Amino acid sequence: QVQLVESGGGSVQPGGSLKLSCAASKYIFRNCKMGWYREPPGKEREVVSTITEDGATTYADSVRGRFIISQDNAKNTLDLQMNSLKTEDTAVYYCAATCPYGLGNTDVYWGQGTQVTVSS
């Protein structure tokens, strides 16, 4: 059973920083593509940033240059450092693992979500 446990959400003023962490097993980090997604109030879930097993990263245009995704293999955590936060970054943030199985199939597993609120 895949378990993803997020932590680090909270409230911050515009321009501030927060760091999100997602704990998972070593097997997950070695075999799955990891990512952070968010669901703003009243909107659909969207991808924020992803990282592959090889360390290749992608970022949404809206966060590129402000957010940094990384994996801490010693702690088995996926981190998202969020800097220069804007009010439009307010959302529930989810950690996700896209894991292969069988021939060419994938399953997506989600964490429980953590609230990030950016407000003055």
Side-chain angles (χ1 to χ4, degrees):
Q1 185 177 0
V2 176
Q3 282 192 318
L4 305 173
V5 181
E6 299 123 337
S7 61
S11 296
V12 65
Q13 292 186 339
S17 297
L18 281 174
K19 183 178 180 180
L20 306 182
S21 290
C22 172
S25 69
K26 187 173 295 186
Y27 172 85
I28 295 299
F29 285 124
R30 287 180 176 175
N31 294 280
C32 304
K33 178 180 179 180
M34 303 297 297
W36 287 98
Y37 294 71
R38 67 186 181 187
E39 194 169 305
K43 297 183 179 181
E44 295 186 351
R45 194 170 299 186
E46 61 186 18
V47 62
V48 175
S49 181
T50 64
I51 186 168
T52 67
E53 310 89 276
D54 299 327
T57 59
T58 67
Y59 294 94
D61 289 342
S62 59
V63 308
R64 187 174 293 111
R66 299 188 297 122
F67 291 10
I68 301 171
I69 191 171
S70 62
Q71 284 187 194
D72 187 329
N73 293 324
K75 297 180 180 179
N76 293 329
T77 60
L78 174 74
D79 299 325
L80 185 69
Q81 178 66 45
M82 305 186 294
N83 302 317
S84 302
L85 282 161
K86 305 176 181 180
T87 55
E88 51 263 44
D89 294 319
T90 295
V92 178
Y93 283 71
Y94 296 89
C95 173
T98 302
C99 304
Y101 73 94
L103 292 175
N105 300 309
T106 58
D107 262 338
V108 182
Y109 302 91
W110 298 95
Q112 81 281 5
T114 185
Q115 177 70 45
V116 171
T117 301
V118 185
S119 173
S120 56

